[in-house]
Amino acid sequence: MNEHSFYNRNKILIVGSGGREHAIGWKLKQSPKVSELFFAPGNGGTSLIGTNLDFKVLDNEGIAKWAKRNKIDLVVVGPDDPLANGMVDYLNKFGIKAFGPSKLSAEIESSKVFAKKLMQEENIPTAKFKTFTNFKNAVEYLKQQNFPIVLKASGLALGKGVIIAKSVEEGVKGLADIMVKKIFEDAGSEVVIEEFLEGQEISIHVFCDGKNYSIFPSSQDHKAIFDGDKGPNTGGMGTIAPVGWVSDELMDRIEKEIVIPTLAGLKKRGREFKGILYPGVMVTNKGPKVLEFNARFGDPEVESYLRLLKTDLFDIFMACIDGTLNELNIEWEKKFACCIVLASGGYPGSYEKGKEISGINEAEKIDEVVVFHAGTKAEKGKLLTNGGRVLGISATGNNLDQALEKVYQAIKKVNFEGMQYRLDIGKRKPFTV
Ligand code: AMP
Ligand code: GLY
């Protein structure tokens, strides 16, 4: 037991405004040790379970001062950019407990060059690559490669900094866009050119406390906007957990070949990792290979995961901070979960906001359905769209088909002008070598 167990009065501030942050709040609210929730800045759904605060997520000073003044017991930092901006270090300096990696540890996500070099040095399986800061050198290298090939801006680019080039012409144009035109701004000052991997992509999540770790069940996102994985990539249009074809043997390989050497490699470099390590893994016919590392919960992966988590999330967060994860037995329901995103018409391109949303209460009347808000806002008693990804409709079931049936039934109850979603979440063929 830690000191917090005796009080049952913990005040939590969650930084972010997505479906991820609503889901974290929803789960924390079930803890008898949590008394009050605050969100900075939050959304229309978080205002129903806590208090929204008008802060920007990069405002370290504003958030730290407010948290100190209001005696916040724990800050949970949701998105990648405040983590890359050192919010956890800043809060710690103020004497405030915060869940998430330090700025240096978060570089495993915010610098693809750092992540690739770490993998190379620690023999962690990943696509073969080279890094460049000079456009001419990058073009010269590109011309000698096989196609398709993958170009990545090294820094954070809202999940959009990856170009898959099918020919030399497309590759040169992509490099010019990133390095000369700077379409991803400073994120593209350094570029990774890497081998194209074939296979099926899964999401792995790991709770980490700097010494111990605990791996979640497998999950899978569907990043393209349209059915059949067509169209441009989004932040994620739907998730399932666990993934039926991912065997215990495969999870063991991922633990041994990826999770253990990554955490050890970070430690060796003085960057002990606390928080969520989330490797995106391509399962290829030569085994699992890392596509990228994230240093936070996936969104919408977490909306599926938290429907299955049995253990008190507040206890887990505190154990990650205190380095006592080994004393907790983290348990998951032996069920299946899914979450399907309802997005604004036009997303991931430009879209309109302010469309009235109806039917959420009716949707939640369906057994085992929970609706998480992302781009929504409450205004004058109405709920309006306020972003690209608007809602995440989640469900659980004894098998994946049951969960999917409930979720699609629930979606029929919800409506807003221009609403779009995928009909094929969880329908990919099992991966076979
Ligand atoms: P990342 O931001 O690195 O995860 O890349 C975004 C998406 O691009 C991934 O989810 C993959 O679908 C795809 N991708 C990234 N790297 C590769 C690669 N080496 N081979 C094939 N697809 C890739
Ligand atoms: N669901 C993808 C991500 O959170 O990066």
Side-chain angles (χ1 to χ4, degrees), residues 114-293:
F114 170 74
K116 293 295 291 192
K117 288 191 173 151
L118 176 84
M119 288 189 270
Q120 190 173 47
E121 285 162 19
E122 301 297 331
N123 281 319
I124 295 161
T126 188
K128 286 195 200 77
F129 73 101
K130 261 194 178 307
T131 65
F132 296 91
T133 49
N134 177 288
F135 175 65
K136 270 195 186 152
N137 294 348
V139 170
E140 232 161 77
Y141 174 78
L142 180 94
K143 285 183 174 161
Q144 289 146 27
Q145 304 309 305
N146 297 323
F147 290 83
I149 199 156
V150 184
L151 317 174
K152 297 183 174 183
S154 178
L156 293 179
L158 296 170
K160 293 178 188 157
V162 174
I163 295 174
I164 295 175
K166 295 191 197 74
S167 61
V168 176
E169 295 71 38
E170 272 186 39
V172 174
K173 181 181 176 307
L175 286 174
D177 283 348
I178 301 175
M179 303 181 86
V180 184
K181 279 201 204 156
K182 298 230 168 243
I183 58 168
F184 305 123
E185 298 173 15
D186 280 353
S189 314
E190 196 161 10
V191 169
V192 177
I193 302 182
E194 73 176 30
E195 167 200 16
F196 179 81
L197 296 176
E198 271 181 84
Q200 209 177 120
E201 193 174 343
I202 58 173
S203 298
I204 299 299
H205 280 56
V206 189
F207 285 118
C208 307
D209 74 356
K211 297 185 287 232
N212 311 286
Y213 64 87
S214 174
I215 304 185
F216 295 35
S218 58
S219 71
Q220 187 168 50
D221 193 7
H222 299 67
K223 288 192 180 174
I225 183 72
F226 300 129
D227 285 355
D229 299 321
K230 301 263 169 19
N233 266 359
T234 68
M237 291 299 290
T239 51
I240 57 168
V243 184
W245 56 265
V246 174
S247 63
D248 290 349
E249 291 72 35
L250 177 55
M251 287 302 280
D252 281 348
R253 275 192 77 175
I254 289 171
E255 177 172 5
K256 289 200 185 78
E257 295 172 23
I258 296 171
V259 175
I260 293 175
T262 301
L263 293 175
L266 285 168
K267 196 169 201 162
K268 204 155 73 180
R269 289 163 181 75
R271 299 180 190 227
E272 281 91 353
F273 195 92
K274 290 185 167 197
I276 302 292
L277 183 73
Y278 153 20
V281 171
M282 189 70 95
V283 182
T284 73
N285 55 18
K286 294 203 182 92
K289 296 192 181 189
V290 177
L291 287 171
E292 63 162 349
F293 284 107

Side-chain angles (χ1 to χ4, degrees), residues 25 49 51 61 78 115 129 176 215 257 310 315 354 358 381:
I49 57 170
T51 306
E61 189 185 343
F129 73 101
I215 304 185
E257 295 172 23
K310 289 211 297 204
D315 284 342
S358 64

Side-chain angles (χ1 to χ4, degrees), residues 221 223 235-236 278 294 296-301:
D221 193 7
K223 288 192 180 174
Y278 153 20
N294 299 299
R296 53 173 172 85
F297 284 113
D299 185 357
E301 282 88 340

Side-chain angles (χ1 to χ4, degrees), residues 1 29 72 93 103 114 135 174 190 201 207 210 231 288 306 315 317-318 321 338 355-356 360 372 400 421:
M1 259 204 202
K29 206 166 167 63
I72 292 296
K93 260 192 238 147
K103 181 182 172 122
F114 170 74
F135 175 65
E190 196 161 10
E201 193 174 343
F207 285 118
L306 294 184
D315 284 342
F317 284 162
M318 282 306 183
I321 292 170
C338 63
K355 310 291 182 196
E356 189 169 353
I360 292 180
F372 295 115
L400 183 61
Y421 58 94

